Amino acid sequence: MQYLIIGCGLCGAVVAHELAERGHSVEIWERRGHIGGNMYDYVDKHGFLVQKYGPHTFHTKTKALYDYMCRFEDWQPYKLTCGAVWDGKYTPTPFNFTTIDTFYPAAQAQKLKTKLQQAFGERETATVVEVLGHEDADIRAYAEYLFANDYAPYTAKQWGVSPDEIDPSVLKRVPLRFSYNEGYFDDPYQVMPQHSFTAFFENLLNHPNITVRLGVDALHHLSVTDGILLLDGQAAEQTVIYTGALDELFGCRFGRLPYRSLRFEWKYTKEESVQAAPVVAYPQEDGYTRITEYKKLPIQQGTGSSYALEYPIAYAADSGAEPYYPVLTEQSAAQYAQYKALANEIPDLICCGRLADFKYYNMDQALARALEIAAQLQ
């Protein structure tokens, strides 16, 4: 074994494939009992393809990344639509002029839409952070209204911290639209797998130079002592690509990095539709943040509908929960920098992925990162 990869999510699997193609022997250790990481999907007992760890779609502005995905699965065009519900009313997200029409009286709505078009010209979107700081009082009040009813309560539930603590990049992920256009992303390439994400991973990993071992917890075998990476107590002789939570590899010596986890409440109904969009946020509801209706992700035929309520929870290594998202704050960034400095001192240890890099990657960003790492290992 020339390379040992910890984790069989997108980053680990792509790096494995690229190294295997160059003739290297690669072994992947995955703690869970399946490949695909958080992109893992399966057909439930009602006949619907569902995603065990929450909704994923592939979208990118970069044709080369889209072309790479097309090598391992057939894809169907899919433009994700999302929404939010508060005060009993539904609005598309990102928020657009329909949002204004829904929550404002007609005359006031028209005045606000005109002001927004005049203020932002030909721009199609702006972040809520930018609009909150606008000089016009009416425009600023609109952003404050959205912030109070959606961004703030959703952020508090999702991240477990107040909005003023979270890194602004998180709040900027969902912009405001200055039109009636809908759709969660504007990327030219927006797709879902023709078969499944799991099929994509099966094809990606189908290589004679790749061995996948499921149900193996790397932290029962890997450790670091005096700047040396140990494998079962002996100095590791292979390069290790690590995609897990970095603090755990180093025994949490600087304290635990804050990762956010999720709990899913799975439901089935004989009704043909549960909500207006595949993914809908419920900022005012107690506990859960959003509902994903998998019959619509992608569009599937079948009786009734399968869906999941999503409850954010704090991650603890011994809880059996999965770490999903790094909680990005000034304090956590400084804490991560300490762990990364330790990792950088180990020549044959490479960090890659949302957890190990402590970055909130989208799928295409994770793919780009994996290809970057693989290129460095030529």
Side-chain angles (χ1 to χ4, degrees):
M1 159 174 53
Q2 294 170 290
Y3 288 94
L4 174 62
I5 297 178
I6 308 304
C8 198
L10 185 60
C11 282
V14 169
V15 172
H17 178 86
E18 293 301 297
L19 292 174
E21 283 285 278
R22 296 175 202 148
H24 298 294
S25 175
V26 182
E27 186 162 300
I28 302 176
W29 290 357
E30 169 56 51
R31 178 169 50 84
R32 288 177 274 193
H34 59 74
I35 62 175
N38 289 352
M39 292 167 60
Y40 173 72
D41 53 9
Y42 64 96
V43 176
D44 72 3
K45 64 182 181 180
H46 306 290
F48 293 109
L49 181 68
V50 300
Q51 300 184 40
K52 184 174 182 178
Y53 304 100
H56 295 77
T57 66
F58 184 79
H59 59 94
T60 186
K61 293 180 173 62
T62 306
K63 185 177 185 299
L65 296 179
Y66 168 71
D67 288 344
Y68 187 90
M69 300 292 284
C70 289
R71 291 168 54 191
F72 307 101
E73 168 64 311
D74 297 325
W75 300 85
Q76 55 184 315
Y78 184 85
K79 186 175 182 180
L80 178 66
T81 56
C82 299
V85 172
W86 68 83
D87 293 342
K89 297 180 179 180
Y90 170 85
T91 174
T93 55
F95 303 118
N96 62 5
F97 282 177
T98 300
T99 308
I100 298 173
D101 292 342
T102 299
F103 291 100
Y104 282 74
Q108 189 179 354
Q110 187 56 52
K111 177 183 176 183
L112 178 57
K113 288 182 289 186
T114 300
K115 278 194 170 188
L116 287 167
Q117 288 178 323
Q118 291 173 344
F120 291 93
E122 294 184 357
R123 288 182 58 182
E124 295 183 0
T125 65
T127 69
V128 69
V129 176
E130 182 179 357
V131 183
L132 280 167
H134 199 275
E135 60 184 12
D136 184 277
D138 290 336
I139 291 177
R140 193 166 60 248
Y142 171 54
E144 290 169 350
Y145 172 77
L146 295 177
F147 195 82
N149 285 280
D150 182 85
Y151 287 93
Y154 189 92
T155 298
K157 285 194 292 184
Q158 175 72 4
W159 300 103
V161 299
S162 64
D164 58 356
E165 292 181 73
I166 203 74
D167 189 278
S169 65
V170 174
L171 296 175
K172 293 176 180 178
R173 287 177 64 87
V174 183
L176 308 186
R177 292 193 187 277
F178 306 129
S179 68
Y180 284 98
N181 291 342
E182 294 189 19
Y184 202 71
F185 305 111
D186 292 324
D187 297 339
Y189 305 99
Q190 300 184 48
V191 293
M192 286 289 284
Q194 193 72 42
H195 303 98
S196 66
F197 282 115
T198 300
F200 162 80
F201 277 93
E202 289 171 346
N203 294 331
L204 182 66
L205 295 168
N206 183 19
H207 197 287
N209 291 341
I210 297 175
T211 301
V212 178
R213 295 179 59 195
L214 301 177
V216 179
D217 190 335
L219 296 179
H220 293 165
H221 302 273
L222 284 176
S223 60
V224 178
T225 300
D226 297 328
I228 299 174
L229 185 64
L230 303 178
L231 180 60
D232 292 326
Q234 303 295 320
E237 297 181 355
Q238 57 278 104
T239 297
V240 174
I241 295 96
Y242 184 81
T243 71
L246 194 56
D247 57 335
E248 295 177 5
L249 180 61
F250 292 97
C252 299
R253 69 177 66 178
F254 302 123
R256 288 199 171 277
L257 285 171
Y259 295 96
R260 203 68 172 154
S261 188
L262 297 171
R263 177 178 68 83
F264 297 95
E265 186 176 309
W266 290 90
K267 293 180 177 291
Y268 170 79
T269 178
K270 293 182 179 179
E271 297 179 8
E272 293 303 315
S273 178
V274 173
Q275 56 192 15
V279 182
V280 177
Y282 295 86
Q284 292 180 341
E285 298 301 324
D286 184 24
Y288 67 90
T289 49
R290 63 183 181 179
I291 295 176
T292 300
E293 187 173 5
Y294 285 100
K295 185 178 185 178
K296 301 173 181 175
L297 189 73
I299 296 172
Q300 303 176 62
Q301 302 301 315
T303 301
S305 190
S306 293
Y307 61 101
L309 284 67
E310 196 169 303
Y311 291 81
I313 57 176
Y315 168 69
D318 56 355
S319 67
E322 297 292 338
Y324 284 79
Y325 312 103
V327 182
L328 303 176
T329 66
E330 287 188 14
Q331 179 179 348
S332 67
Q335 189 181 13
Y336 173 76
Q338 292 180 289
Y339 285 113
K340 190 62 170 68
L342 292 180
N344 289 342
E345 295 174 358
I346 302 174
D348 292 327
L349 175 65
I350 297 168
C351 299
C352 182
R354 181 184 275 193
L355 300 181
D357 289 337
F358 206 69
K359 291 183 178 179
Y360 194 173
Y361 290 137
N362 288 331
M363 201 185 303
D364 64 329
Q365 294 169 322
L367 173 58
R369 172 64 172 159
L371 292 173
E372 174 190 20
I373 291 295
Q376 293 173 4
L377 296 173
Q378 290 185 10

